[in-house]
Amino acid sequence: EAQVTQNPRYLITVTGKKLTVTCSQNMNHEYMSWYRQDPGLGLRQIYYSMNVEVTDKGDVPEGYKVSRKEKRNFPLILESPSPNQTSLYFCASSRLALANTQYFGPGTRLTVL
Amino acid sequence: KNEVEQSPQNLTAQEGEFITINCSYSVGISALHWLQQHPGGGIVSLFMLSSGKKKHGRLIATINIQEKHSSLHITASHPRDSAVYICASSGTGNQFYFGTGTSLTVIP
């Protein structure tokens, strides 16, 4: 089954404790992206990757890091989480960024205390 | 940066009604995407279009490139259509910009 998986689905942590949210896709997609969704602000792009070892900042990259060492995986790293990073996070992938359907992961609800 | 605006923010309809959700964007795009998010959070892509019109079942999406405007129509609405509908633009910069969503409730 074609899918994007994220882990964990739910996470409660404390300020400053490094964490990683994993994202994996099995569709051999070149493009992968991370978004955060907040009430009243909608979805905003954090980082995206056009292919292995190619990453770029989205609209709200501050406080986040990403890496793309393999085509299927695109982890999101919060080196020192803060309460303003409490949000619902989605990973997505597509064959090409501009003119192809995006496939979304199930979401990760992160709470930073 | 592409500003994407949706209207209305909230919409309540009776079952069977014809529904229209509007989306406008500020700069030229490569494609306009319509997404659906059900309670519980999962996001599904409904349409991706760069010109004209697309239809899938009771859903129709149109785009007017000159006016920088797109609409999503739902014919013969049903309670299972209740969800948040989100439009998003993708452009030459490989970034996506999203509207804040339209929350639709269809009452039986």
Side-chain angles (χ1 to χ4, degrees):
Chain A
E1 180 191 352
Q3 60 181 349
V4 178
T5 57
Q6 293 179 228
N7 282 292
R9 295 288 312 280
Y10 302 90
L11 180 59
I12 301 173
T13 189
V14 295
T15 298
K17 187 177 180 182
K18 181 179 179 180
L19 67 92
T20 299
V21 184
T22 64
C23 173
S24 183
Q25 49 95 5
N26 63 1
M27 294 169 279
N28 201 36
H29 285 164
E30 291 82 12
Y31 186 90
M32 296 186 74
S33 184
W34 276 103
Y35 306 98
R36 61 177 288 173
Q37 185 177 38
D38 302 289
L41 297 176
L43 285 156
R44 292 177 293 169
Q45 192 168 31
I46 303 171
Y47 269 97
Y48 62 95
S49 170
M50 296 295 288
N51 214 323
V52 176
E53 302 292 358
V54 181
T55 62
D56 212 340
K57 296 177 180 178
D59 221 20
V60 288
E62 297 78 18
Y64 304 95
K65 286 176 60 176
V66 293
S67 67
R68 187 97 181 266
K69 294 184 171 60
E70 304 166 284
K71 197 171 186 179
R72 63 184 293 124
N73 296 323
F74 190 46
L76 180 69
I77 302 156
L78 285 72
E79 296 255 347
S80 183
S82 62
N84 64 12
Q85 292 177 298
T86 293
S87 188
L88 179 58
Y89 291 87
F90 289 96
C91 179
S93 73
S94 66
R95 190 156 293 284
L96 286 170
L98 304 182
N100 274 278
T101 299
Q102 286 226 311
Y103 294 83
F104 286 81
T108 294
R109 188 167 291 281
L110 172 66
T111 301
V112 183
L113 302 174
Chain B
K1 179 176 176 175
N2 202 351
E3 302 291 337
V4 179
E5 294 188 358
Q6 284 184 241
S7 63
Q9 281 191 309
N10 297 284
L11 184 54
T12 300
Q14 292 288 331
E15 183 173 355
E17 282 186 11
F18 181 85
I19 290 164
T20 296
I21 300 170
N22 295 299
C23 176
S24 61
Y25 51 93
S26 60
V27 300
I29 61 171
S30 294
L32 192 288
H33 305 251
W34 282 101
L35 312 172
Q36 181 190 57
Q37 185 174 26
H38 277 290
I43 299 174
V44 174
S45 182
L46 297 174
F47 294 103
M48 189 280 301
L49 63 165
S50 54
S51 65
K53 175 179 170 179
K54 286 191 176 180
K55 184 175 190 285
H56 181 69
R58 294 179 295 106
L59 274 60
I60 303 165
T62 63
I63 189 167
N64 184 317
I65 298 295
Q66 286 73 29
E67 294 187 3
K68 297 186 176 61
H69 182 269
S70 176
S71 293
L72 177 68
H73 305 286
I74 305 175
T75 62
S77 58
H78 190 276
R80 65 175 174 265
D81 297 325
S82 297
V84 175
Y85 293 84
I86 303 166
C87 69
S89 69
S90 57
T92 55
N94 298 318
Q95 287 187 248
F96 282 83
Y97 296 98
F98 299 83
T100 52
T102 295
S103 180
L104 171 65
T105 303
V106 182
I107 300 169

